[in-house]
Amino acid sequence: MAKTAALKRSTKATKAASKPAAKAAAKAAAKPAKSTYVLDDQIGFILRQVWQRHTMIFARDIGSNLTPTQWAALSKLVETGPCSQNQLGRLTAMDVATIKGVIDRLTARGLTETSSDPQDGRRLLVSLTRAGQQLAEKTAPLALAISKETLAPLDAKERETLLSLLSRLR
């Protein structure tokens, strides 16, 4: 009987001593392990934040009537003149579905038009309308100012270096 009482006391003491250890182990298990991956240090995350800042400046200065992708299409058409929708998509880094939607919306607004390619009747050429050309000319100085503001935290040498490095990553 004395042995049983001593065993019970010993078991209680072991349980009491192990409670803090168990709590500490549970706490340690709940804490995430230290990771070598820190989101804030990743290029994709940083680029996304910079893009968000840039698009906020774009929307503020150009307004909601023209999206960055629509501006890209208009400005590229100023550079190239009429070209196929497929080629325009490649030149502006847009997939087939995106460039189609962009051109559909610009055409609905009377800023672009499509016509058959005289050399290949299966292909549509996209070109600026007079209104599209006028909007592009009016918007170009704003777009340059937006780029300048996006890069404003950098000095001239840093801007040059950043653009050069980003171009190498394309």
Side-chain angles (χ1 to χ4, degrees), residues 37-140:
Y37 186 92
V38 177
L39 180 62
D40 290 345
D41 296 339
Q42 303 310 309
I43 184 67
F45 186 68
I46 294 167
L47 288 172
R48 185 169 64 82
Q49 289 176 314
V50 171
W51 173 249
Q52 287 172 329
R53 181 173 163 268
H54 176 76
T55 55
M56 181 203 64
I57 296 166
F58 185 95
R60 182 198 68 207
D61 292 358
I62 291 186
S64 60
N65 291 334
L66 196 62
T67 67
T69 52
Q70 290 170 346
W71 169 244
L74 289 177
S75 65
K76 190 52 80 171
L77 285 169
V78 169
E79 287 179 44
T80 65
C83 67
S84 73
Q85 188 169 287
N86 190 298
Q87 176 68 12
L88 185 59
R90 285 194 302 273
L91 293 171
T92 57
M94 290 184 230
D95 61 45
V96 173
T98 301
I99 192 63
K100 180 181 182 341
V102 167
I103 296 305
D104 287 349
R105 286 184 287 285
L106 291 173
T107 300
R109 291 179 53 199
L111 301 173
T112 58
E113 60 190 4
T114 58
S115 59
S116 294
D117 184 337
Q119 297 172 345
D120 184 347
R122 298 169 296 173
R123 186 181 351 199
L124 285 179
L125 292 179
V126 179
S127 57
L128 291 173
T129 62
R130 184 181 181 127
Q133 182 71 40
Q134 289 171 341
L135 180 62
E137 289 170 5
K138 178 183 158 196
T139 305

Side-chain angles (χ1 to χ4, degrees), residues 89 96 132 149 167:
V96 173
E149 185 176 340
S167 291

